[in-house]
Amino acid sequence: MNDFKGQTLSWQIVNGAIELALHRDPCNEIGSLTLDELEKFAAALPGLTNEAHALIVHSTLKAGFSAGADLRELFQRGQEIEKAAALRGVREFLERIHAVMNALDTAPLTTIAAVHGVTFGGGFELALVCDIIIADRMARFCFPELRLGLIPGFGGIPRLKRDLGNAVVRDLLLTGRSFNVMKAQQIGLVSQIAAEGEALRVARATASQVGKFDRRTAAAAKEFVKPIPYKELKREIDIFCDLYSRPAVEEGLRKFVENEGPQPYLP
Amino acid sequence: MPTTDRTLDEILNLAASHFNVPREKLTPDDDFFKTLGIDSLQALDLLTRLEHHFRIELPDYELQGVSDFRTLANRIQARL
């Protein structure tokens, strides 16, 4: 399937690069429907890889790349069914999204996240599976999960630890603060900063450059420098599920969901 | 280092310009969520613009409960 147009995302091949566009209002919150379509993409990826040398992941929404997991759905999941079943559902969701993230992480082509605006939580984790992050000048990153009594659950901590120094990881994780592109580039997360609205164009230029090289060599180089922390990724799911079943998390999610003020994304 | 008044003035100018509000309608003690008509995502956008403008890093937890331009200016001034 060389192109697809779904309810939350679409893909097509443009000049030898797969362009995976996220477009679920309001800011690409990742819930069951997005996961279903991400799984479709992961299943199509081996075939697409024969036709393309790079993958660009981007958002068509003004608000940003992605605000992360769909917290309203996560809250509702805990309300509608009994606790043990809710926990099983959360674990199943995490295992499925990890499988998608791992497929993107190990894809034998160069992957580029072109991000702008809000790149939070699960959205940040989606960017982290990519080989290169190109960020619009107005991009903002955050792991806000501790504010809810949780840790990132889509593979964020092991991948952040893979790419950054541990002191930086602790700062970002334990304060839950958001930070801009200058900081993101300074700590080694973002490789290129684009002008406002130009991240996709810069990503396309980068995809064109990587397309000049022998694909097998590029895939071998990637595999050599980008180990997948499978053991820590599994441990992350266990810790997330241990934390999820506590009343403090339900209260944190309820506070977010029922917040009708202007500041749900601020601490 | 600019004075707090100068910092406040630059914040008001930037907010008026970016959110398309007449500058004369903004005063230091305005609730910027109401005056600018912005939500939390737009507030983060404003924070990023202010960080770039003043070349500072201002963690968002320092803005907890802050909704007026004058207090915002004081938080920024402390980072200059």
Side-chain angles (χ1 to χ4, degrees):
Chain A
M1 193 163 30
N2 274 4
D3 58 78
F4 171 82
K5 187 158 181 59
Q7 294 179 63
T8 68
L9 56 86
S10 302
W11 70 78
Q12 60 179 334
I13 296 179
V14 180
N15 296 326
I18 309 158
E19 294 190 357
L20 176 64
L22 310 175
H23 49 69
R24 182 200 174 192
D25 279 324
C27 193
N28 292 317
E29 287 77 4
I30 301 170
S32 299
L33 189 53
T34 305
L35 176 56
D36 288 345
E37 295 188 345
L38 279 171
E39 286 178 325
K40 279 194 176 77
F41 178 72
L45 193 52
L48 290 165
T49 301
N50 293 329
E51 310 289 326
H53 58 266
L55 163 66
I56 298 171
V57 187
H58 69 104
S59 159
T60 63
L61 303 182
K62 186 170 183 284
F65 182 69
S66 167
D70 186 338
L71 297 180
R72 283 175 177 79
E73 183 179 303
L74 187 62
F75 176 69
Q76 287 304 327
R77 190 187 292 274
Q79 299 302 300
E80 290 170 0
I81 47 181
E82 54 101 8
K83 298 297 175 198
L87 184 57
R88 280 196 301 277
V90 167
R91 179 175 285 277
E92 185 203 5
F93 185 95
L94 292 178
E95 286 173 349
R96 287 172 59 199
I97 193 110
H98 271 241
V100 170
M101 296 290 198
N102 291 346
L104 294 176
D105 206 343
T106 55
L109 74 179
T110 301
T111 55
I112 302 167
V115 306
H116 70 278
V118 170
T119 306
F120 280 17
F124 189 3
E125 292 170 294
L126 179 58
L128 276 172
V129 304
C130 294
D131 304 331
I132 295 169
I133 300 178
I134 292 172
D136 175 296
R137 180 176 155 77
M138 292 303 296
R140 200 158 186 95
F141 302 86
C142 183
F143 273 136
E145 285 83 356
L146 263 71
R147 298 177 190 175
L148 301 168
L150 290 167
I151 61 167
F154 296 177
I157 298 174
R159 290 195 170 92
L160 207 59
K161 278 175 65 183
R162 173 179 67 184
D163 293 344
L164 304 181
N166 208 311
V168 174
V169 177
R170 290 195 300 274
D171 173 21
L172 303 183
L173 185 68
L174 299 178
T175 67
R177 68 188 173 111
S178 63
F179 57 101
N180 67 29
V181 284
M182 309 307 284
K183 174 79 173 180
Q185 190 172 50
Q186 179 200 345
I187 61 179
L189 184 71
V190 159
S191 57
Q192 296 181 55
I193 297 176
E196 202 168 341
E198 295 292 323
L200 180 57
R201 189 194 62 75
V202 173
R204 284 173 174 157
T206 305
S208 175
Q209 166 64 15
V210 304
K212 295 173 185 169
F213 303 141
D214 174 64
R215 291 192 48 187
R216 181 147 181 247
T217 307
K222 171 173 170 171
E223 189 182 8
F224 183 49
V225 300
K226 198 181 180 209
I228 312 300
Y230 288 112
K231 195 174 168 186
E232 289 193 338
L233 288 166
K234 281 184 182 169
R235 177 80 180 119
E236 182 190 81
I237 295 176
D238 291 341
I239 295 172
F240 188 101
C241 290
D242 282 348
L243 294 169
Y244 173 76
S245 33
R246 295 170 314 131
V249 173
E250 186 178 341
E251 274 318 295
L253 288 170
R254 182 190 303 281
K255 195 173 156 193
F256 177 87
V257 169
E258 294 178 353
N259 184 346
E260 292 179 353
Q263 303 195 33
Y265 288 101
L266 295 176
Chain B
M1 187 170 77
T3 63
T4 304
D5 283 349
R6 167 94 183 270
T7 299
L8 180 55
D9 202 43
E10 289 183 30
I11 293 170
L12 292 169
N13 286 339
L14 189 148
S17 162
H18 181 65
F19 293 106
N20 231 2
V21 175
R23 169 65 180 83
E24 61 274 14
K25 286 199 172 178
L26 302 182
T27 64
D29 296 313
D30 281 343
D31 179 324
F32 50 76
F33 286 103
K34 288 181 184 163
T35 312
L36 300 174
I38 60 174
D39 60 20
S40 62
L41 293 180
Q42 290 167 307
L44 286 169
D45 181 274
L46 176 62
L47 171 61
T48 305
R49 288 179 195 283
L50 290 170
E51 285 184 323
H52 289 326
H53 178 83
F54 290 104
R55 298 174 187 274
I56 57 165
E57 190 182 354
L58 184 63
D60 48 13
Y61 54 75
E62 289 215 9
L63 298 181
Q64 190 166 25
V66 174
S67 58
D68 66 281
F69 291 110
R70 191 185 301 280
T71 312
L72 177 60
N74 288 332
R75 297 285 193 277
I76 289 175
Q77 191 72 11
R79 296 270 174 173
L80 293 176

